[in-house]
Amino acid sequence: MKHVDILIVGAGIAGLRTLYSLRKDGFDVRVVEASDELGGVWNHNRYPGARCDVESYDYSYSFSPELEQEWTWTERYPRQPEILSYLNHVADRFDLRRDITFNARVASADYDEVGAKWVVAFEDGAAMTCRRLILCLGQLSAPKTPEYPGQELFRGETIVSALWPRRDVDFRGKRVGIIGTGSSGMQMTPVIAETAERVTVFQRTANYSVPAANAPLTADEIRDVKAHYAERREMTRNSPTGLGFQPGKVKTLDVDPDERERVFEAAYNRYGFGFALAYPDILLDPEANAVASDFLRRKIGERVSDPEVRAKLLPVTHGFGTRRPTVDSGYFEAFNRDNVDLADIREAPITEFTETGIRTTEKDYPLDLIIYATGFDALTGALLKPRITGRDGQTLKEKWAQGPITQLGLGTAGFPNLIIVGGPGSPTVLSNVMVSTELQVDWLTELLKTLRDEEIAEIEVTPEAEQAWNAHVAERVSETLYMTADSFYNGGEVKGKPRVFMPYSGGVRHYRRLLEKCAADGYAGFALRKAPLAKTAEVQDAR
Ligand code: NA7
């Protein structure tokens, strides 16, 4: 069977960066990727209007000053094709492709306790072994699609936004139904509305959104970014979210209303997602949150002309930021067009699909195309798809039945030589993933060098460390308002999923310090063994 020292699963942002770093340090490393193309979410989410809501230059790798200078972003918030081109450029520029096997979907990974290696099987029947297994499977990469009675009857076309086909989808003359109003639904609506005959947005929960204030980057802006990349990187690594700005210092309610209005207005007009940082307590204090939410509701209201539609679009079920807000480009204004309708399916739920469209308790919507923009089984969905079996035959699914448990988000006890990048227990979706991913990859590269130098056969999270880390993750989130809403952060959006807050809300900067401390303390919370535990046990048994 083919063997590689380190196997990385996934050729998205994290997988590519891990491959680059480990190969540079002389490791025998290979990436396997289920798709025939690299790019992860940016390969799959090709829907019209797909765009990153982190500024382009901050959503880029920091490992190569040459790359920073060579690559020129064209817009403040980059579109999906531009990000995918960037990732392809990185792969070509650093000759990464030669170490990536495409069309290789992992079906299972079993830990061989005696050999201290993983046996990885692929869906096509192939198999290989590796000493260390690194999962770079993404956070929002297991799409979910709701089940409605009669779905199979619908005679039109259906598309899942996160599995968008690689062809031009022609909306002309079509009546399009979009289910879901998260980032995907909000981004695609105004773009599809430009050519479709009619667009009906099926909204279950009205959501907050801040306008992107997107624009092409000017020559001056590009020059400025390129001249100050190093400082900018330092700032993002030292920020709570990995974004290029710091939170305000004064509390929301400690300023007079006029001043607050000015600050909110400035943040709203410029900072997109960073509106949440206008004051430091917006996601901590219910009263501060209520004030920010009121401001945003007012702003949404100003963007919609029809009073009835406006009322339905105002988010009332949760406070701003407690679920993932969106950064949009013309979403609310799209409802001012004659060809865009809002179906409030909280008020009048979908009862069934018919041959010709969607039926709600209120009316029939005739449709030619239905788009599911219904989100993901976030954070754990992709990790639990392959059957991963650790010590004593326990699967990761069994281990995480009550919710994920990790040490620093990087590994879990009973699964030696397994490292997770961007997983639950790390800042991940609460941060600029580019920044938090690179922090983790730099850390794990040093870890793997230590393991190589010290001839460590097996590294494994200790049960005490993961208990302590999960307690810390829970404690930090209890200081926030995140658990006041069901969201993809806490599993509340997937039926039967444990309601546990999964990302680490302590911030990128604090997380970075904890990673450094863990390494400085000799990788505290991880057991490093020169011989596999199973062998040691056998020797002990024999004595
Ligand atoms: P999100 O943000 O999880 O949004 C999913 C949307 O789909 C949301 O509006 C959901 O409504 C809706 N949804 C989910 N299931 C259903 C059913 N069964 N019926 C109707 N509507 C449903 O995913 P996105 O793809 O938009 O964005 C994901 C991330 O991509 C985003 O956060 C950025 O990081 C980029 P709900 O609110 O649950 O009522």
Side-chain angles (χ1 to χ4, degrees):
M1 205 183 291
K2 224 202 281 169
H3 180 80
V4 68
D5 192 32
I6 298 173
L7 185 69
I8 299 166
V9 188
I13 284 172
L16 294 174
R17 175 63 161 87
T18 311
L19 171 60
Y20 168 81
S21 292
L22 295 184
R23 204 171 69 186
K24 186 160 164 279
D25 274 305
F27 285 97
D28 169 30
V29 55
R30 180 126 214 112
V31 174
V32 287
E33 163 60 50
S35 172
D36 59 352
E37 275 206 37
L38 54 78
V41 291
W42 299 110
N43 170 30
H44 294 295
N45 287 265
R46 297 175 185 234
Y47 60 80
R51 195 186 282 281
C52 183
D53 45 20
V54 172
E55 287 157 302
S56 48
Y57 26 86
D58 293 333
Y59 198 77
S60 66
Y61 291 119
S62 66
F63 64 81
S64 161
E66 295 78 21
L67 173 66
E68 287 176 341
Q69 295 305 317
E70 278 164 20
W71 182 265
T72 301
W73 293 101
T74 64
E75 284 181 284
R76 185 166 174 228
Y77 292 105
R79 273 190 278 193
Q80 172 271 332
E82 190 169 16
I83 302 170
L84 193 57
S85 301
Y86 171 74
L87 295 174
N88 274 289
H89 170 75
V90 171
D92 294 336
R93 167 78 169 73
F94 298 98
D95 191 20
L96 299 180
R97 252 175 247 278
R98 72 180 150 93
D99 288 320
I100 306 174
T101 306
F102 291 97
N103 299 305
R105 186 180 288 279
V106 172
S108 65
D110 294 273
Y111 189 63
D112 167 354
E113 292 187 55
V114 174
K117 60 178 191 255
W118 285 93
V119 182
V120 179
F122 297 88
E123 282 190 354
D124 67 359
M128 65 189 293
T129 58
C130 63
R131 191 141 63 119
R132 329 259 190 221
L133 182 62
I134 305 183
L135 301 180
C136 297
L137 291 168
Q139 300 79 21
L140 300 165
S141 44
K144 52 184 180 99
T145 45
E147 285 174 13
Y148 290 110
Q151 255 161 335
E152 68 294 346
L153 300 176
F154 178 59
R155 283 203 308 251
E157 193 182 359
T158 54
I159 300 180
V160 177
S161 67
L163 302 169
W164 198 264
R166 284 188 215 165
R167 60 178 162 83
D168 280 339
V169 178
D170 190 356
F171 302 104
R172 279 174 304 177
K174 289 198 182 135
R175 297 157 302 175
V176 181
I178 299 173
I179 307 179
T181 53
S183 296
S184 305
M186 283 195 181
Q187 288 182 340
M188 71 177 72
T189 295
V191 183
I192 295 176
E194 279 170 23
T195 51
E197 182 181 311
R198 177 148 295 281
V199 173
T200 305
V201 177
F202 293 86
Q203 172 192 276
R204 190 167 69 177
T205 309
N207 201 6
Y208 296 91
S209 183
V210 177
N214 187 39
L217 290 171
T218 64
D220 278 351
E221 285 171 320
I222 291 166
R223 211 172 304 117
D224 186 56
V225 165
K226 288 193 177 184
H228 298 104
Y229 253 126
E231 295 103 285
R232 204 165 171 101
R233 302 299 192 192
E234 205 41 38
M235 178 162 73
T236 59
R237 284 189 204 112
N238 281 309
S239 72
T241 54
L243 298 174
F245 28 80
Q246 297 287 340
K249 300 229 178 323
V250 200
K251 287 188 175 172
T252 312
L253 301 174
D254 287 352
V255 291
D256 73 70
D258 289 348
E259 166 64 6
R260 190 163 58 227
E261 182 74 10
R262 261 196 307 278
V263 170
F264 275 159
E265 191 73 39
Y268 178 82
N269 288 325
R270 180 65 193 167
Y271 290 145
F273 202 40
F275 178 83
L277 300 177
Y279 290 102
D281 53 352
I282 290 179
L283 290 172
L284 306 178
D285 173 21
E287 283 181 50
N289 187 272
V291 173
S293 301
D294 280 345
F295 174 87
L296 288 174
R297 273 191 290 269
R298 182 151 46 86
K299 286 292 178 188
I300 291 169
E302 287 167 10
R303 296 170 66 183
V304 185
S305 45
D306 181 296
E308 247 177 70
V309 178
R310 184 191 308 144
K312 289 179 177 171
L313 285 168
L314 297 183
V316 288
T317 55
H318 60 287
F320 165 71
T322 56
R323 318 178 82 214
R324 177 66 152 76
T326 292
V327 179
D328 73 284
S329 298
Y331 173 68
F332 294 108
E333 291 80 357
F335 291 94
N336 301 333
R337 298 175 65 112
D338 290 340
N339 67 336
V340 178
D341 295 325
L342 182 67
D344 183 340
I345 54 171
R346 184 172 291 255
E347 204 176 270
I350 295 175
T351 52
E352 61 184 327
F353 281 33
T354 65
E355 285 186 5
T356 54
I358 289 179
R359 179 167 296 153
T360 70
T361 52
E362 211 167 57
K363 64 190 264 198
D364 276 359
Y365 292 88
L367 299 166
D368 303 299
L369 167 61
I370 295 174
I371 299 171
Y372 291 105
T374 42
F376 302 85
D377 181 354
L379 287 151
T380 53
L383 291 170
L384 298 181
K385 244 186 200 171
R387 191 177 46 79
I388 298 176
T389 310
R391 224 178 257 300
D392 301 324
Q394 187 186 38
T395 63
L396 192 58
K397 207 173 195 163
E398 289 161 354
K399 167 94 200 263
W400 286 3
Q402 304 308 314
I405 173 160
T406 70
Q407 158 66 337
L408 290 163
L410 289 155
T412 188
F415 294 78
N417 289 345
L418 177 77
I419 301 174
I420 301 167
V421 180
S426 74
T428 176
V429 288
L430 295 183
S431 67
N432 173 358
V433 287
M434 199 52 103
V435 174
S436 48
T437 297
E438 288 203 295
L439 282 181
Q440 287 192 317
V441 175
D442 287 340
W443 183 89
L444 76 86
T445 304
E446 290 307 310
L447 166 74
L448 289 167
K449 278 158 63 181
T450 303
L451 301 187
R452 181 174 59 187
D453 294 349
E454 295 182 9
E455 298 180 357
I456 301 295
E458 202 168 71
I459 175 168
E460 183 174 356
V461 168
T462 67
E464 301 76 30
E466 64 180 15
Q467 291 295 345
W469 180 248
N470 260 43
H472 178 62
V473 170
E475 190 193 324
R476 290 310 301 257
V477 78
S478 71
E479 297 158 6
T480 74
L481 301 173
Y482 282 122
M483 289 303 274
T484 60
D486 280 341
S487 70
F488 69 67
Y489 301 144
N490 62 28
E493 291 196 327
V494 177
K495 217 171 153 194
K497 194 166 172 169
R499 194 174 187 277
V500 173
F501 194 77
M502 293 178 285
Y504 176 56
S505 60
V508 168
R509 178 178 141 120
H510 189 60
Y511 182 73
R512 177 191 179 190
R513 291 206 180 120
L514 293 171
L515 286 182
E516 285 166 2
K517 183 165 179 345
C518 171
D521 293 347
Y523 296 103
F526 294 86
L528 274 56
R529 304 186 191 106
K530 291 214 180 245
L533 186 65
K535 274 198 181 148
T536 319
E538 270 168 34
V539 174
Q540 280 168 354
D541 284 352
R543 276 190 194 141

